[in-house]
Amino acid sequence: MEIGEYLKYRVELLDEAKDDDGYISESAILDTTIPFLSDAKLIDSEDYSECYFYLKHENIKINGYKINESEERLQIFIVNEDSIRLEAGEEDLLISQKAYYDNVFSKANKFIQKSIRKHLDNEIQDSSSVKPLINFISTSSLGLTQIDVIEFFLISVTATVDRRGTEPTPKLIEFEEETMTVNVPHGNKETKKKEIVIYKRLIDLNFLYNVLISQGNREVLEVNFKKLFNEGIDAIRAANEENFESFLCVLPATILADLYKRYSTRMLEKNVRSFLQFKGVNQGIRDTIKKTPQYFIAYNNGLTITAIGAEIDNSGDKTVINSLKDFQIVNGGQTTAAIYFSKKDGLDVSKIKVMAKINVAKNAKEDELNELISNISIYSNAQSRVSNADLRSKNSQLIRIKSVSESTMTPSGKKWFFERFKGEFNTLIRKNQHAKAKINNQYPKERRFSKEDLAKYYMSWGDSPYLVKKGGDKIFRSFIEKLSPEDSKGLIINRDFYEEIIGRIILFKELEKIYGAGKNSMGQLRSAVVPYTISILYAYTNGQKAGDNFDLVKIWQREGLDMFLKDVLTSLMSLMNDLIKKYSASDDYGEYSKRKDLWDHIHTSKEIKVFTLAGPFQKVIKNYCISKEELKKRQQKIAKTKNIDFSNLYDNAKIFSRTAEYYKKLKWALTDKISIFQQSKIDHIINCIINKNMITTAYCEFETELIQKIRVENPEIFDDLIIEEEDSWVKSTDFVVGTYNTCIEEGRDILSEFKKQREIAKIKGAKFYAVFDEIGKCLSEGVTPSIKQIRSVGNVY
């Protein structure tokens, strides 16, 4: 079953990567899969530099690279081109031999070795996108001094299997850690030897599918002290409570430095300060390490570590922690990073010891574990103010955006799909495999966005394009803090807010499309040029360099950019492409565009001033801006509108459309897999469908969780649940909500509009035409219609 699911998912993945002509490029595969690495926290953001380079005669290849946030780790991406061939048969896609992958890894490894020896210098033109990376690696005073770790990520759309049984089963292949010795500058004209660690990581269908069904949760980090350091950690058991146990121990700084080198910020992911810049070492910590290392343990507050499991040896009077599952430093991240960078800079940390409290959660469900660890993280950091933003997909504001997205249609009657948690759209496809084409038609790629996408698009309309370029947790946290700040109720999530969001998304996506990709693009800086261009537009309108606000709602209403705006922004992007190169202090323009000082130089430059004062740009501002007075009137009008939450109505419509027969079959298929209590809940849903009674929010949530559970544990069940849906439920709901939205948008009277619909239904000879009066009355009072009323509407249309 599992291998079959991998191969089915491969089809979805390749479909996602296809361009308008049905072609699948390695670049598109990388763009599609990089977010999975970010979700698993194997990389700290989705941003990377594309630099396709292939020397067939020397068997050398890479597709892209990035340098991590703390700048000690070079991450190289390589795509297995054979794995994305549409004509590949099943036997070609089931890989059991480690040597197969080693051969592909060797291509990237050769690239590094040749670059260090300067053997590629004459092979590459200065304009090549790979040239900055080669220069970085081959210049020992830069790359080799800075980089301690090189990570190779092999993207292979194959399933890794064990063939020893009657059927192939999933198999995990791990690759040995390697080291490479290089010479780096040391003093005047001297060099010293330095070891760089090399890690290889396979990103295959096994990995991608597991991230998908885990709803984007990060990969659990397991630290085995005994395996890594030949011995466990001596500890004292300080508490043994129902849901956690605590240990106290002293950790040598050498171990902490080694852990940071091995795992970097992966082990700080749940630290509420993990978004801070770690490369700047705290001066106080550095001074203590340098001058009085023996006092470090007395001066420092120590670490707080959490885990969800532990391997503990209690032999004799000693307690030894051999390994920790889901190892996270939730307080003391800066101490850990400071020790690492001090050692990197040549300071002796061998005499440093750090106190640590280790809390191991137990006997709790996943949500309870998350809450416990989150609270430990927050209260451990209580000595100074830190953000307590809810970054999960269950954030109430994200749930509200999802609700509004489902009930808001574009002026042309379409909808956008907001994927609140990873795999949501894929699950929709998987459970409706027979309606795959219809769903893809309804929600094409260009009208779908994830919560991480939302953060990027939302924050692009501002004055921090360098942060948007960085992406990752920093920009997502900044977005969530704007969405739901701790010191207020947060932004009002309504139709107007949503229309502006879609306006931002359309603007961003249209500019990406205009800039282009690959050989037909303006250049190789799209991920920097687009946010920088949008920020200039913002700066000279909403950024108070002009009196009026740019009206993003006009983009929503047009569902795109008019030709004049496209022309002006195309010219601005072309200029921005040149300015990033001109004002960058590094020949790696993509990496340097993550720096604030580049933005400061560009947006105050004479070139930008000349461009924004010219006639075409001024005409755009005039055409697209809205005066403060008009904006105030619009906001006052919106404030008077009663916001109706249609989410439960839409949940009901979708469940009813699947029919009672669907849930009867579902219950039968799950008889030996779910409890009697869960079966009774399915019975309740069936009864509601039969009797046309509204299903409560709690039961709708149960249904969603049940479908996700099947997706994870028994997806083959969906193959036997092919029931023709009664889509009149959703269509009728769309009609009612669409009519209501039109009334709100155009200032029409709700009661009068639904009376018109009553008369139309009456002329058609509908039996239940009076239902439109009932619905109009409900909506005018801010009340959601019932599912029975929706059924009556379906009988009319």
Side-chain angles (χ1 to χ4, degrees):
M1 175 278 298
E2 208 160 2
I3 301 302
E5 285 300 315
Y6 290 171
L7 296 179
K8 284 177 185 175
Y9 178 57
R10 177 179 181 271
V11 175
E12 303 293 335
L13 197 67
L14 295 183
D15 280 348
E16 190 73 16
K18 285 179 182 175
D19 63 15
D20 294 339
D21 299 319
Y23 175 70
I24 301 171
S25 67
E26 293 180 33
S27 171
I29 286 292
L30 198 50
D31 285 341
T32 304
T33 53
I34 280 280
F36 288 78
L37 277 70
S38 180
D39 286 328
K41 301 302 176 189
L42 298 183
I43 58 178
D44 52 29
S45 78
E46 296 177 16
D47 179 68
Y48 73 100
S49 297
E50 185 185 344
C51 62
Y52 177 80
F53 177 66
Y54 183 33
L55 285 180
K56 188 174 183 180
H57 63 284
E58 294 203 39
N59 204 31
I60 294 174
K61 180 185 176 185
I62 68 165
N63 289 82
Y65 71 96
K66 72 180 277 110
I67 297 171
N68 74 329
E69 182 74 12
S70 44
E71 298 187 354
E72 86 288 350
R73 185 172 294 242
L74 172 63
Q75 297 170 315
I76 302 286
F77 308 104
I78 178 171
V79 175
N80 176 12
E81 66 270 22
D82 291 336
S83 74
I84 65 175
R85 290 186 298 111
L86 291 175
E87 65 274 17
E90 185 171 312
E91 282 305 302
D92 300 318
L93 300 172
L94 302 184
I95 308 300
S96 58
Q97 297 298 316
K98 181 170 172 284
Y100 173 88
Y101 294 120
D102 273 327
N103 181 53
V104 188
F105 273 121
S106 69
K107 297 178 183 180
N109 200 23
K110 280 184 183 177
F111 169 82
I112 295 293
Q113 300 292 345
K114 292 269 188 180
S115 295
I116 289 173
R117 298 188 186 104
K118 302 181 186 288
H119 290 175
L120 296 178
D121 287 6
N122 296 327
E123 301 270 359
I124 308 297
Q125 295 181 355
D126 288 342
S127 59
S128 171
S129 58
V130 79
K131 188 68 174 179
L133 176 59
I134 291 173
N135 289 344
F136 178 77
I137 295 170
S138 63
T139 308
S140 57
S141 60
L142 289 174
L144 301 184
T145 302
Q146 178 180 323
I147 296 300
D148 295 334
V149 173
I150 297 175
E151 274 183 299
F152 294 120
F153 291 99
L154 168 56
I155 316 296
S156 185
V157 195
T158 52
T160 307
V161 300
D162 188 332
R163 295 178 180 271
R164 285 177 293 186
T166 54
E167 294 288 334
T169 56
K171 174 182 176 182
L172 174 65
I173 294 181
E174 294 183 325
F175 299 84
E176 300 80 14
E177 172 187 320
E178 299 173 12
T179 58
M180 177 175 64
T181 303
V182 295
N183 293 317
V184 297
H186 182 68
N188 293 328
K189 298 182 180 179
E190 293 183 13
T191 62
K192 68 173 182 178
K193 293 192 180 299
K194 172 184 175 179
E195 276 197 350
I196 294 177
V197 182
I198 296 175
Y199 298 121
K200 294 185 286 190
R201 181 63 190 252
L202 173 63
I203 307 300
D204 57 0
L205 285 170
N206 310 40
F207 172 87
L208 296 168
Y209 183 82
N210 287 332
V211 173
L212 181 85
I213 63 173
S214 71
Q215 299 187 3
N217 289 326
R218 64 187 171 76
E219 185 177 66
V220 169
L221 174 61
E222 187 157 357
V223 174
N224 190 318
F225 297 102
K226 195 166 186 177
K227 183 178 177 181
L228 293 174
F229 308 110
N230 298 318
E231 59 181 354
I233 302 296
D234 290 338
I236 299 170
R237 191 188 300 269
N240 190 7
E241 305 297 331
E242 182 181 355
N243 290 324
F244 73 95
E245 52 187 335
S246 290
F247 301 88
L248 299 177
C249 66
V250 175
L251 291 174
T254 50
I255 284 182
L256 285 176
D258 189 80
L259 289 176
Y260 190 92
K261 182 175 183 177
R262 183 176 295 273
Y263 303 115
S264 190
T265 52
R266 269 188 76 196
M267 63 183 190
L268 311 176
E269 192 266 328
K270 286 187 177 175
N271 188 313
V272 292
R273 291 197 185 90
S274 67
F275 59 94
L276 298 176
Q277 182 68 275
F278 282 119
K279 63 181 177 181
V281 177
N282 181 289
Q283 192 59 44
I285 295 176
R286 176 187 282 274
D287 287 344
T288 304
I289 292 172
K290 191 173 183 179
K291 298 173 184 176
T292 53
Q294 69 274 22
Y295 291 118
F296 191 95
I297 196 167
Y299 293 167
N300 189 265
N301 289 332
L303 312 182
T304 301
I305 296 168
T306 63
I308 60 170
E311 184 185 312
I312 298 169
D313 185 354
N314 287 311
S315 56
D317 296 331
K318 290 180 67 176
T319 296
V320 178
I321 300 174
N322 289 326
S323 70
L324 291 170
K325 184 179 180 182
D326 198 4
F327 177 95
Q328 288 288 305
I329 297 174
V330 298
N331 185 28
Q334 291 192 70
T335 295
T336 305
I339 287 171
Y340 169 79
F341 284 106
S342 294
K343 183 183 179 186
K344 179 180 171 66
D345 290 343
L347 296 182
D348 180 11
V349 300
S350 61
K351 296 177 183 177
I352 304 294
K353 291 182 172 57
V354 184
M355 284 291 299
K357 176 171 65 174
I358 300 173
N359 297 303
V360 182
K362 60 179 185 177
N363 303 328
K365 296 178 182 176
E366 186 177 349
D367 282 351
E368 293 170 334
L369 282 175
N370 285 334
E371 185 177 359
L372 174 64
I373 291 173
S374 175
N375 286 337
I376 291 171
S377 174
I378 292 162
Y379 296 131
S380 295
N381 284 278
Q383 72 272 14
S384 61
R385 187 186 182 281
V386 292
S387 169
N388 183 19
D390 184 357
L391 304 181
R392 299 166 300 173
S393 60
K394 291 186 178 180
N395 176 291
S396 61
Q397 292 283 71
L398 292 177
I399 292 171
R400 179 68 185 140
I401 292 173
K402 178 67 175 178
S403 169
V404 176
S405 75
E406 291 191 325
S407 62
T408 304
M409 284 168 277
T410 67
S412 62
K414 299 169 185 173
K415 286 185 184 178
W416 287 68
F417 190 94
F418 171 40
E419 189 173 51
R420 185 165 59 87
F421 55 84
K422 194 168 195 72
E424 185 178 8
F425 185 78
N426 185 268
T427 297
L428 178 65
I429 292 280
R430 184 63 186 89
K431 72 182 181 185
N432 296 283
Q433 200 71 27
H434 59 291
K436 176 181 171 182
K438 178 183 170 184
I439 295 168
N440 278 319
N441 250 353
Q442 186 181 7
Y443 299 112
K445 281 189 294 185
E446 59 269 19
R447 287 207 311 276
R448 303 198 304 257
F449 59 98
S450 67
K451 68 181 191 297
E452 291 79 17
D453 291 334
L454 176 59
K456 177 176 71 175
Y457 298 138
Y458 185 88
M459 297 301 292
S460 68
W461 190 249
D463 57 4
S464 303
Y466 50 92
L467 286 182
V468 176
K469 165 64 177 166
K470 281 184 180 181
D473 283 346
K474 277 191 176 182
I475 199 69
F476 187 66
R477 182 179 287 276
S478 297
F479 165 65
I480 291 294
E481 287 173 350
K482 280 203 172 195
L483 197 65
S484 47
E486 292 181 88
D487 54 356
S488 67
K489 292 181 180 178
L491 298 172
I492 297 171
I493 310 299
N494 55 20
R495 181 186 170 89
D496 190 62
F497 175 85
Y498 182 72
E499 287 178 0
E500 282 212 4
I501 280 181
I502 300 300
R504 296 183 194 200
I505 294 175
I506 292 172
L507 178 61
F508 201 105
K509 283 176 173 274
E510 283 287 309
L511 293 193
E512 284 188 317
K513 191 174 180 181
I514 293 167
Y515 190 95
K519 293 178 181 177
N520 299 320
S521 65
M522 285 186 187
Q524 293 147 354
L525 296 171
R526 187 175 77 169
S527 62
V529 167
V530 170
Y532 270 66
T533 298
I534 292 172
S535 287
I536 290 297
L537 186 59
Y538 170 85
Y540 283 85
T541 52
N542 299 47
Q544 302 307 311
K545 292 197 180 216
D548 296 333
N549 285 338
F550 190 92
D551 192 2
L552 290 159
V553 174
K554 288 182 179 177
I555 294 179
W556 155 267
Q557 290 167 341
R558 290 188 174 101
E559 298 187 52
L561 314 181
D562 66 28
M563 285 308 299
F564 189 70
L565 180 57
K566 280 184 180 179
D567 288 345
V568 169
L569 293 180
T570 299
S571 298
L572 182 53
M573 283 198 293
S574 180
L575 173 63
M576 191 62 68
N577 216 60
D578 295 336
L579 294 181
I580 288 174
K581 294 175 184 177
K582 177 179 178 178
Y583 289 103
S584 177
S586 163
D587 63 353
D588 194 337
Y589 308 124
E591 284 297 316
Y592 198 78
S593 61
K594 298 174 184 177
R595 298 177 182 268
K596 183 178 183 296
D597 58 342
L598 178 62
W599 167 242
D600 289 340
H601 278 114
I602 288 176
H603 83 88
T604 57
S605 68
K606 62 181 180 181
E607 293 93 341
I608 289 296
K609 286 177 182 174
V610 169
F611 186 92
T612 54
L613 287 172
F617 187 83
Q618 290 298 315
K619 187 176 178 182
V620 160
I621 290 178
K622 186 177 178 182
N623 289 346
Y624 272 86
C625 278
I626 181 173
S627 70
K628 288 182 169 56
E629 292 73 25
E630 288 178 292
L631 185 60
K632 188 176 180 181
K633 285 179 186 176
R634 180 195 286 175
Q635 289 169 343
Q636 287 172 342
K637 182 180 173 183
I638 291 166
K640 293 176 183 176
T641 305
K642 290 181 179 177
N643 287 315
I644 302 177
D645 186 351
F646 291 104
S647 56
N648 184 246
L649 179 62
Y650 267 102
D651 286 342
N652 270 263
K654 285 182 278 189
I655 291 173
F656 273 70
S657 69
R658 287 178 201 129
T659 74
E661 189 62 28
Y662 176 94
Y663 291 98
K664 287 176 183 176
K665 282 192 171 187
L666 182 65
K667 181 189 172 186
W668 182 84
L670 294 172
T671 300
D672 59 346
K673 296 178 177 67
I674 58 175
S675 67
I676 297 294
F677 179 62
Q678 289 171 313
Q679 290 180 46
S680 71
K681 285 191 171 185
I682 298 177
D683 285 335
H684 176 79
I685 290 172
I686 293 168
N687 186 58
C688 285
I689 296 173
I690 292 169
N691 294 299
K692 310 297 182 288
N693 293 329
M694 286 288 281
I695 304 169
T696 64
T697 300
Y699 277 93
C700 288
E701 287 175 354
F702 160 76
E703 192 267 357
T704 300
E705 289 168 5
L706 182 65
I707 293 296
Q708 182 58 27
K709 179 181 169 69
I710 296 169
R711 180 73 176 93
V712 173
E713 298 175 5
N714 306 98
E716 72 281 0
I717 286 175
F718 292 131
D719 296 329
D720 298 322
L721 290 175
I722 302 175
I723 302 285
E724 188 173 346
E725 291 192 354
E726 294 180 5
D727 55 5
S728 61
W729 291 100
V730 174
K731 285 181 178 177
S732 300
T733 305
D734 279 344
F735 177 80
V736 169
V737 175
T739 304
Y740 169 79
N741 285 338
T742 301
C743 291
I744 298 302
E745 195 169 288
E746 299 180 6
R748 299 183 195 175
D749 180 71
I750 296 170
L751 281 171
S752 299
E753 192 62 32
F754 277 90
K755 280 180 181 176
K756 287 180 189 176
Q757 296 302 328
R758 177 198 64 190
E759 292 306 312
I760 294 170
K762 190 174 180 182
I763 291 168
K764 287 183 175 182
K767 184 178 179 182
F768 303 107
Y769 59 83
V771 72
F772 289 101
D773 287 333
E774 298 170 15
I775 291 173
K777 187 172 184 297
C778 284
L779 293 173
S780 63
E781 293 173 355
V783 177
T784 309
S786 70
I787 200 71
K788 284 182 179 176
Q789 290 169 330
I790 293 297
R791 179 63 170 175
S792 297
V793 172
N795 290 332
V796 174
Y797 293 97

